[in-house]
Amino acid sequence: MDSRPLDGPIVVDVDTVPEREMVFIVRDEDQARELAPLICHEQTSKTVLVLAAGLPMSALEAQLLQHDNKCTLTTPDRSVHELNWPAAALPSWQQSIHCVATLHPAIAASRASVLVHALPTNDPMAHCLPENDITVIHMPARDVPRATWLMDLPIESIQRWHDAKIQLILTTDRNPYGLTRLLRSASRAHYLGDKIDLTILMDQSSDRVTVQFANTVAWEHGTKHVRHRIVKMNKMPLFVEAWYPQNDYDDYAILLHDDIDLSDQFYVWAKQALLRYRYAPPQASSYSSSMLAQSIMGVSLYSPQLLDTPQQGRQPFAPPPGTTHPYLMQVVTNGGTLFFPEHWREFHHYVTARFADIHKKQLQSITVPDARSGNWTNSWRRYLDELMYLRGYSVLYPLVQGGKASMSSLYLDLQLDHLLHAHDDQQQQQQVANDDDAGMPPPPPPLPIDQDDLAAIKALFQVPLANYVPPLAPSLNTVSLLDLWGKPIEFDAILERGRAFQSTVSACPPHDAYLYDPSDLLCPFARIVELPVQDATADILPTRVATLFVPKPTEQ
């Protein structure tokens, strides 16, 4: 233990500080108890040093043993170093000086790359921690039990804890009750000490209650932004224009609508997936494995019970038997998704070109075989399904309780409640028609939907919210992959299927140089355009350069 008179020179015995990969700072018994799940976590890949600042080693070890009777401080991978710390009664500036003079040399001597603490924001030590050459993670006490997976990550992934900048983007219209439910659940979530910005995007037709609530609701986890459209449009531009990434590396967004409810674990799930698969240290891998990692375009919060991609309509869905970890699937749902920046940028450019072509020149005809979304001209799902099918992209889905629980849930109240009264409404309409046209036999009445049937329909969308985060497979190579219809498939097959389809809809062949660039997907095939010579102007030709073959006039 470092010793010195509190009013004399500060002496730090750095020679006794062992070298470790991770450092935990503990000030008192409460913090020891709070950080015990991380300090005592059973992992063998990292060495841990606990810096006890003013807390006797015996008191520290007692708290750790209370959490786990096997958690001692004398193992080769876990050790403790005591720091003499001044009384809390000292002015904060004196405590800060002491912090710099004692804590910084001890951390430097440990050569640690990650520092974890649960210091309150009003603690002077929290404002004098080193910032260079070490990743400092402030873990709120309430979040520690949800973050034990942190200790299973490679140290290189933990070092990139702050790289990902995740924001929440909420779209809403005339649904103040749904917006309130969504924001309430988002406010209660565990954000692991991260700063999370929030954007509320209201449609032009949002009512006064929605506007007032969006403007006045408090958001304590970051900066709140409110936007309001001035032109009423369909859902596609509202969704696609909600976010555009600032870069292709660390800017992420979770897109949510006001019919969604969230588990308090949703952010923990998304953060874990990013650190495990996006920020894992590079490893020697095959071309196929590298392409698989590049093909993941997001992390879903929702565990679907139905798939709407089959041509014959919605079909029940469950992960294939034997699936034990979160899985990849070539589908995006309406239940909330964290999108990766480079994939979203490519989708933004792709849907811009496709939508313009469909409504103007119609130079390309792209319809995914046997996909129901091919009929949805004004839906973003059609164009995202096209891009995912062509590129072999997929999204990571949670697997909680075999797929029966989810990180988000859908509340389709407005879409379903009216079905209860559909029978009565149709009977009234038919009675009016019979009065106007007596003598015509009425059609058979529709079958009414009772409460039990309605509850069963809602249960297919309102998936129970998960209260824990599912463990991830250690490597993407062991993650199950499902195609657009929820069928198991190998990545090489899904990639080859997309490239074969590209050869039928685009004149440009696929090439790795077009990674996250849709240019090679948007090449119309050459065709002959017949125009009268006097009408052949550049304005009406579908290409910038055109060669016209003018037939020689025949002799009369």
Side-chain angles (χ1 to χ4, degrees):
M1 179 174 180
D2 301 330
S3 62
R4 68 167 187 86
L6 292 180
D7 56 351
I10 300 173
V11 180
V12 182
D13 186 7
V14 296
D15 293 336
T16 62
V17 179
E19 293 187 6
R20 294 291 185 263
E21 293 176 302
M22 295 186 67
V23 170
F24 290 86
I25 297 179
V26 176
R27 289 289 305 274
D28 52 38
E29 293 185 15
D30 289 338
Q31 292 181 21
R33 183 169 56 253
E34 293 163 356
L35 292 174
L38 297 179
I39 297 174
C40 299
H41 185 73
E42 296 182 1
Q43 52 84 30
T44 58
S45 61
K46 291 173 287 297
T47 54
V48 170
L49 170 65
V50 181
L51 291 178
L55 179 65
M57 185 183 300
S58 58
L60 170 63
E61 191 159 23
Q63 292 296 328
L64 299 183
L65 289 173
Q66 185 177 352
H67 172 77
D68 184 350
N69 57 15
K70 298 180 181 179
C71 183
T72 64
L73 296 171
T74 57
T75 65
D77 297 328
R78 189 186 301 118
S79 57
V80 64
H81 183 79
E82 292 185 77
L83 294 175
N84 189 20
W85 200 256
L90 287 180
S92 59
W93 64 269
Q94 288 187 338
Q95 295 189 48
S96 298
I97 293 175
H98 188 90
C99 174
V100 173
T102 59
L103 184 63
H104 285 218
I107 293 175
S110 72
R111 298 184 182 275
S113 54
V114 175
L115 186 156
V116 181
H117 70 92
L119 299 170
T121 55
N122 60 353
D123 191 323
M125 182 183 284
H127 302 283
C128 74
L129 299 175
E131 298 179 354
N132 299 324
D133 302 323
I134 191 169
T135 300
V136 179
I137 300 175
H138 172 239
M139 186 65 65
R142 67 184 289 265
D143 295 346
V144 171
R146 283 86 179 173
T148 54
W149 50 266
L150 165 68
M151 302 303 294
D152 293 321
L153 295 174
I155 192 66
E156 295 86 355
S157 298
I158 306 176
Q159 286 179 270
R160 304 188 66 180
W161 181 270
H162 299 296
D163 285 5
K165 304 299 186 294
I166 303 174
Q167 59 180 307
L168 304 183
I169 298 181
L170 281 55
T171 58
T172 186
D173 193 0
R174 303 176 61 87
N175 188 9
Y177 175 77
L179 180 62
T180 303
R181 177 182 55 218
L182 174 57
L183 282 171
R184 183 187 297 116
S185 62
S187 297
R188 296 173 178 173
H190 298 272
Y191 293 106
L192 308 176
D194 291 350
K195 179 179 179 291
I196 307 298
D197 291 340
L198 169 72
T199 298
I200 302 176
L201 176 57
M202 298 178 289
D203 206 350
Q204 179 270 340
S205 57
S206 294
D207 55 41
R208 181 178 58 85
V209 177
T210 300
V211 174
Q212 182 177 2
F213 178 74
N215 287 329
T216 58
V217 65
W219 180 252
E220 300 177 352
H221 304 285
T223 304
K224 185 188 77 171
H225 307 276
V226 180
R227 295 162 53 192
H228 190 189
R229 295 188 63 95
I230 63 172
V231 178
K232 179 68 174 177
M233 303 187 73
N234 61 50
K235 298 301 182 183
M236 186 178 72
L238 184 68
F239 178 79
V240 176
E241 297 173 7
W243 174 59
Y244 192 78
Q246 298 182 18
N247 58 60
D248 287 343
Y249 308 101
D250 302 316
D251 188 18
Y252 300 88
I254 299 178
L255 301 186
L256 305 164
H257 192 54
D258 58 20
D259 57 359
I260 293 175
D261 194 12
L262 296 171
S263 163
D264 63 358
Q265 308 284 317
F266 86 94
Y267 183 84
V268 180
W269 151 249
K271 179 90 173 186
Q272 180 191 15
L274 284 180
L275 290 173
R276 171 67 71 180
Y277 298 138
R278 286 278 285 185
Y279 294 104
Q283 298 177 350
S285 59
S286 64
Y287 173 78
S288 178
S289 298
S290 176
M291 290 295 294
L292 174 61
Q294 295 172 350
S295 71
I296 301 177
M297 69 177 302
V299 179
S300 176
L301 308 181
Y302 189 59
S303 297
Q305 310 299 299
L306 295 172
L307 282 186
D308 56 6
T309 48
Q311 188 68 51
Q312 61 270 31
R314 291 186 175 94
Q315 299 293 318
F317 170 77
T323 305
T324 58
H325 290 90
Y327 55 93
L328 295 168
M329 187 161 60
Q330 212 176 12
V331 173
V332 173
T333 70
N334 294 321
T337 304
L338 179 146
F339 286 101
F340 296 170
E342 65 273 36
H343 300 83
W344 184 263
R345 191 187 296 267
E346 180 183 17
F347 169 61
H348 193 280
H349 296 166
Y350 178 84
V351 70
T352 301
R354 286 284 295 121
F355 193 72
D357 180 62
I358 286 178
H359 289 82
K360 293 181 180 179
K361 303 297 185 180
Q362 299 183 3
L363 301 179
Q364 282 186 285
S365 176
I366 303 178
T367 302
V368 177
D370 300 322
R372 185 162 167 251
S373 59
N375 301 320
W376 305 339
T377 304
N378 293 319
S379 171
W380 57 268
R381 272 290 307 279
R382 168 179 178 164
Y383 307 101
L384 191 54
D385 284 358
E386 291 176 4
L387 180 64
M388 296 179 73
Y389 188 84
L390 286 163
R391 290 291 196 225
Y393 289 162
S394 58
V395 170
L396 185 69
Y397 280 82
L399 184 68
V400 184
Q401 298 177 12
K404 299 302 181 182
S406 178
M407 296 297 160
S408 67
S409 187
L410 280 171
Y411 282 78
L412 305 183
D413 307 285
L414 297 178
Q415 289 85 341
L416 295 175
D417 287 346
H418 73 279
L419 295 178
L420 282 175
H421 310 288
H423 177 55
D424 295 338
D425 293 341
Q426 292 189 25
Q427 280 188 326
Q428 294 177 3
Q429 294 174 5
Q430 184 58 48
Q431 183 61 45
V432 172
N434 289 342
D435 293 342
D436 294 340
D437 191 7
M440 294 295 294
L447 294 176
I449 297 180
D450 59 27
Q451 287 284 358
D452 292 339
D453 292 336
L454 184 62
I457 294 174
K458 287 186 176 182
L460 295 174
F461 298 93
Q462 296 178 14
V463 186
L465 295 176
N467 56 10
Y468 69 93
V469 176
L472 290 168
S475 171
L476 280 175
N477 294 329
T478 60
V479 176
S480 300
L481 176 61
L482 311 180
D483 64 11
L484 193 63
W485 300 271
K487 305 300 182 183
I489 190 173
E490 296 295 326
F491 177 69
D492 289 341
I494 211 170
L495 192 62
E496 181 59 32
R497 176 192 289 177
R499 291 183 171 181
F501 182 59
Q502 179 177 341
S503 66
T504 67
V505 298
S506 177
C508 298
H511 196 280
D512 292 346
Y514 291 101
L515 187 65
Y516 312 131
D517 180 353
S519 299
D520 63 314
L521 307 177
L522 302 170
C523 302
F525 290 103
R527 61 180 183 177
I528 297 177
V529 180
E530 295 186 0
L531 293 173
V533 175
Q534 63 273 18
D535 295 336
T537 64
D539 294 336
I540 63 174
L541 291 175
T543 55
R544 292 184 178 181
V545 179
T547 301
L548 301 181
F549 298 90
V550 181
K552 183 178 180 181
T554 57
E555 297 181 359
Q556 298 294 337

